[in-house]
Every structure is written in structure tokens, then in C-alpha cells.
Amino acid sequence: MSGAAASGLLYGANVHANGIRQHYLRFGGAGPAIIIVPGISTTAAQWAFIAERLCSGHDVFVLDVRGRGLSESGPHLNYSLDAYASDLIGFAEALGMGPYTLLGHSMGGRIGIRAARWRPSFMDQLILVDPPVSGPGRRAYPIPVEPLLKLLQSAKRGEADAALRSPSAPRWPELHIRTRAEWMHTCDERALIESHNGFHDDDIHRDLAHLGVPTIVAGRGGVIRPEDEAEIRGLLPSIAIRTLESAGHQMQIDDTEGFLLIVEELLARPRDRFDGRVSTFGKQEISEDVPTNR
């Protein structure tokens, strides 16, 4: 990060929430709160460049999901979607947050969906960035886990930089190659495997019908197809879907400016509080208890 961009970073910190240590980065410090939840093999550090752009006028928190980055990891942890959603709810509670915007990428979007189903009144807005829509009886998630595991092993040997520059690797800017190479080794292998399995075992469609959310879909990559959009609109007619045609699944890197334009548009949309009292969303808050998942 350049010195000018890094000026938005206030600090990195740890908090004990939902029974584990959760690490986060905080940017800006003033204005409405945003929590960014990264994807399956991504850390808070890899989303710092987006947080730096959003923190003018917003208080931005970027979370290391359990088993990634500097958050707690290990064989004693549960790496289910329910555990991740409980972590997010516990994190916001531990920091005493009022209603916040959740910006979740890929797996982070699925985490946001489950957390919003359980505690809609905690969220002011939910922005889903190309969340996997696979599940029981549905087509498989189109991005296999094996390349991630191969990259993880390279990272543990200190060879991720070379792997990310191979002819088969995405053509990313230097900053993103270096940041991914630096942090990839922190991913727990079991967390990657069990999370990827969860893309096929957990049905987020049963949660979607209870929400009111904007979604950003990649133009390339095939995670969400037109038929998926149609099904989602049937479950959730109030949803606002935006497509970034120039980008694939890692759209925040593929087309950073286009991605930020959409996010900033969604953040600026007039909206009511994201809770059961608001006719815009027209859903009642789910009263089921949030499980505590170690």
C-alpha cells in the first residue's frame, strides 16, 4: 500500500467473539459502518485496497474469517457456514456495532446471507459479491478446490510467488500477486476443503426468501448464471442485481474502478433499516437462536 492510501488504515486488532479470537483491520473510523467479509482463501489484508477507497465517509472493518489470516485456526475449530455466520454476529456484538452494511465476497456473501437470516435487524444493508449458489441438488460450484489446495502447499513451502506468476495463473497487478503470496500460507487446509464442501451441502436459497439484498454478479466466471438470477428474483423480488461484465469472480481485482462504482452506487441508494418492521423488505425477523460454534 502506498503511504497516501495507507492513511485510511487506523489499526489491526483482535477481539474475542463467539468463543474464538477474530482479527480485523479498521479503516476510516467515522460514518456508517461497513464489515467486509472475504472469500474462501482470502484474508483481510487482500481487501485493504478496497477498504482504503471506501473509508472516506465510512467506518470500514475487514474481517479475517476463522482459519485464515491472523484469526484463530486449528483442528479444534468448526468450519461450517453456521460457525462463520455466528462469528460475524458475535464480532459485531463484541464491538458494540449498531446496524452495519455487510459486503461479502463469494463465501463471505454466503456468510452474510445466513447471518442476515438470523439477525436482520443487525444489518442496514447486505451487498453480496458473486456468492456461490450451488447447494443440495444443484449444479456444482464451477471453481474447483484442487487448485487452491495446490497453491496453499506452494505457499507453505514459500513458493506461492512463483506459482502466482506461472502461465496458468490469472494476470493480476503486482500488488495483488505479492499480497496473495504473502498471506496464502495462513489458510487452514481443512477450512478450505470443508468450506468448499459446504458450497454444495448448505442451501442458502431457503435463507434468501427472507432477505432484501443487492447483489453484484460477475460478467465472466459462471458462478451465477442467468437462470440462477431468475430463480433468485423469484425468491426475492426486491433484490437489486448489478452485473460487472468486464470482470470474473475476483471482480474487485479484475476491474477495481467498475467494482467500486457499483458498490458506491449501492451504498448511496435510499433504503430503510434492514429489519422486519420495514415494508421495503417485508419480512419478519427470524427468531431462532444463533448457535455458538467452536
Side-chain angles (χ1 to χ4, degrees):
M1 295 181 290
S2 69
S7 63
L9 175 63
L10 296 178
Y11 54 80
N14 295 278
V15 63
H16 187 78
N18 193 38
I20 68 166
R21 176 180 49 78
Q22 299 190 48
H23 175 261
Y24 65 98
L25 302 176
R26 187 179 185 185
F27 296 78
I34 300 174
I35 302 177
I36 297 177
V37 182
I40 187 171
S41 64
T42 312
T43 65
Q46 290 167 262
W47 276 83
F49 76 109
I50 294 295
E52 287 162 354
R53 296 285 297 276
L54 294 177
C55 71
S56 177
H58 289 90
D59 194 4
V60 185
F61 299 78
V62 194
L63 186 63
D64 272 330
V65 178
R66 63 166 65 196
R68 288 92 171 162
L70 299 180
S71 285
E72 190 166 337
S73 182
H76 61 296
L77 290 185
N78 176 348
Y79 291 121
S80 68
L81 178 59
D82 282 357
Y84 296 140
S86 297
D87 284 350
L88 173 59
I89 292 169
F91 173 76
E93 288 178 340
L95 294 185
M97 286 188 181
Y100 57 88
T101 290
L102 190 287
L103 192 161
H105 175 249
S106 192
M107 183 185 77
R110 290 172 67 92
I111 294 169
I113 289 169
R114 184 60 51 86
R117 170 83 189 277
W118 285 340
R119 290 292 185 269
S121 61
F122 278 36
M123 292 190 192
D124 187 45
Q125 186 173 200
L126 177 57
I127 300 177
L128 309 174
V129 183
D130 217 25
V133 292
S134 47
R138 300 178 180 276
R139 64 181 174 84
Y141 180 57
I143 302 173
V145 73
E146 288 76 17
L148 284 179
L149 298 177
K150 184 177 180 180
L151 179 60
L152 176 59
Q153 293 309 313
S154 295
K156 290 183 180 297
R157 296 191 299 268
E159 298 171 353
D161 191 87
L164 290 166
R165 298 177 192 278
S166 70
S168 61
R171 302 295 90 195
W172 283 1
E174 184 69 15
L175 168 67
H176 300 297
I177 291 174
R178 289 187 174 277
T179 307
R180 186 152 176 78
E182 178 184 3
W183 288 95
M184 183 68 198
H185 79 279
T186 66
C187 294
D188 184 296
E189 180 174 322
R190 185 169 61 87
L192 298 186
I193 294 170
E194 294 187 7
S195 299
H196 196 273
N197 288 341
F199 291 169
H200 303 91
D201 297 336
D202 288 302
D203 186 5
I204 60 165
H205 292 76
R206 65 185 178 90
D207 301 316
L208 280 171
H210 296 271
L211 309 181
V213 295
T215 298
I216 308 175
V217 178
R220 302 183 269 112
V223 173
I224 298 179
R225 297 176 179 172
E227 60 267 31
D228 300 317
E229 289 188 30
E231 181 182 9
I232 291 169
R233 288 185 190 278
L235 291 168
L236 185 56
S238 64
I239 194 167
I241 297 180
R242 303 290 185 270
T243 302
L244 187 57
E245 296 288 354
S246 58
H249 187 57
Q250 298 293 341
M251 64 183 76
Q252 75 283 2
I253 295 174
D254 291 344
D255 183 356
T256 301
E257 297 307 318
F259 174 77
L260 285 167
L261 278 174
I262 294 175
V263 171
E264 288 164 357
E265 178 232 323
L266 294 174
L267 290 172
R269 291 172 71 230
R271 61 189 184 276
D272 295 312
R273 276 282 308 281
F274 183 35
D275 63 26
R277 298 187 299 274
V278 178
S279 60
T280 301
F281 301 110
K283 304 296 179 183
Q284 295 301 311
E285 179 163 356
I286 303 304
S287 60
E288 61 193 276
D289 291 335
V290 177
T292 299
N293 289 280
R294 286 289 292 169

